Amino acid sequence: MRVIHTDEIIKNISEMCIEANLHLSRDVEHAICAAGEQETSVLGAKVLCQLKENMKIAAEEQIPICQDTGMAVVFLEIGQDVHIEGMAVEDAVNEGIRQGYTKGYLRKSVVKDPVLRENTKDNTPGIVHYQIVPGESLTLTVAPKGFGSENMSKIYMLKPADGIEGIKAAILNTVQEAGPNACPPMVVGVGIGGDFEKCALLAKQALTRDLGSHSSEPYVRELEIEMLDQINALGIGPGGLGGKTTALGVHINTYPTHIAGLPVAVNICCHVSRHVKRVL
């Protein structure tokens, strides 16, 4: 039995919140640079060049890549042979978020009540997801999510008869409706299966995958490639100003579902696709 103290969780979450907001992961940085070399639209290429410059400035001056430093989404994969000591785990995660957003001078965007709208002033609480896995390690993934793109996301409760074509239509419809509002080039996370809330979680988790990675399921891999091609053929382009780089990647996660349903969630993320992972 391995013991992990919540002080370790707090320290790492705090650091990860700052890291995620100041530095894009290498996979996202590489995708933006590669897109800039291939973009044929003059305006689109200029936008991608500006995004590269923005990343450079953020890293050098230690300032956020985007003014919307997001609502902190945290995934915990807890080994079943791990014993956590100290405070309650969720309190520790939120303390890490609180410290990170305060020390990093990151924008506080969370309100206590969705209707009354009073700011919590420390960006807590975060959205916390737990999974018990084999082993004696604790994997933390911090993925701050801005709401310009979050607001463009959708859930579809399709009929089984809608099939693969219905799924394709749902993805394309969501991206088309998002247009420039999702700050393209975007990353498209898709969850298929489960139920109403499970497909949404699958889509969110899909956004934390490395860009360029594909599903191990052959038909899903083909769907990811086809959807990226079709999305980029829409012509929305970087910043919504036209071009062939509307999306940097399409990631699809699936899960078993009920015989009567075909839930599909499309979670859109802007080009600031933030995710940091650490294993304790």
Side-chain angles (χ1 to χ4, degrees):
M1 180 70 69
R2 180 170 172 227
V3 175
I4 295 177
H5 198 279
T6 50
D7 285 351
E8 246 192 291
I9 296 174
I10 293 169
K11 175 180 179 293
N12 279 276
I13 294 289
S14 174
E15 293 172 350
M16 292 164 78
C17 286
I18 296 172
E19 180 185 344
N21 276 294
L22 272 54
H23 304 276
L24 279 183
S25 57
R26 290 192 178 278
D27 59 306
V28 181
E29 186 177 345
H30 175 75
I32 291 174
C33 292
E37 294 172 0
Q38 299 169 9
E39 181 55 66
T40 54
S41 161
V42 175
L43 272 177
K46 186 175 181 179
V47 170
L48 291 167
C49 183
Q50 290 172 338
L51 296 184
K52 287 166 60 180
E53 182 67 15
N54 184 59
M55 287 188 293
K56 182 172 179 287
I57 294 170
E60 289 176 352
E61 300 192 14
Q62 292 293 281
I63 55 177
I65 302 162
C66 176
Q67 77 275 10
D68 182 356
T69 54
M71 191 169 190
V73 180
V74 181
F75 295 93
L76 288 87
E77 296 174 56
I78 305 171
Q80 62 187 20
D81 296 322
V82 169
H83 174 64
I84 298 175
E85 287 187 346
M87 62 201 303
V89 177
E90 193 147 337
D91 289 344
V93 171
N94 280 315
E95 180 58 27
I97 294 169
R98 180 180 295 108
Q99 290 186 17
Y101 275 76
T102 302
K103 291 176 183 175
Y105 299 100
L106 305 174
R107 194 180 85 182
K108 287 77 175 175
S109 303
V110 176
V111 294
K112 289 181 183 177
D113 184 277
V115 175
L116 302 181
R117 314 300 291 181
E118 180 188 354
N119 199 296
T120 65
K121 297 182 173 61
D122 58 12
N123 221 56
T124 66
I127 306 296
V128 188
H129 301 288
Y130 301 93
Q131 184 178 2
I132 304 299
V133 298
E136 55 178 21
S137 62
L138 170 59
T139 301
L140 305 172
T141 301
V142 174
K145 189 65 166 67
F147 263 62
S149 57
E150 188 76 356
N151 287 337
M152 298 294 103
S153 304
K154 292 181 179 293
I155 289 181
Y156 300 82
M157 300 305 289
L158 301 180
K159 301 183 294 293
D162 292 325
I164 196 77
E165 294 306 317
I167 294 169
K168 293 177 185 178
I171 297 170
L172 288 175
N173 176 67
T174 304
V175 172
Q176 281 182 307
E177 286 193 15
N181 296 319
C183 298
M186 59 188 80
V187 180
V188 183
V190 181
I192 306 172
D195 58 2
F196 185 83
E197 80 276 7
K198 180 65 176 181
C199 69
L201 178 56
L202 291 169
K204 183 74 74 183
Q205 288 174 315
L207 291 175
T208 67
R209 283 170 40 190
D210 285 345
L211 276 172
S213 66
H214 286 292
S215 171
S216 58
E217 179 65 45
Y219 90 88
V220 179
R221 175 189 174 90
E222 291 174 10
L223 185 59
E224 289 174 334
I225 294 169
E226 180 183 349
M227 286 293 94
L228 181 59
D229 288 343
Q230 289 195 28
I231 287 169
N232 285 333
L234 294 173
I236 296 169
L241 298 174
K244 66 177 187 178
T245 316
T246 298
L248 298 171
V250 176
H251 294 164
I252 301 173
N253 288 353
T254 63
Y255 193 82
T257 191
H258 191 278
I259 56 172
L262 180 56
V264 177
V266 184
N267 196 191
I268 293 181
C269 188
C270 64
H271 70 277
V272 186
S273 181
R274 296 165 286 203
H275 51 274
V276 175
K277 180 179 287 188
R278 291 187 184 181
V279 179
L280 305 186

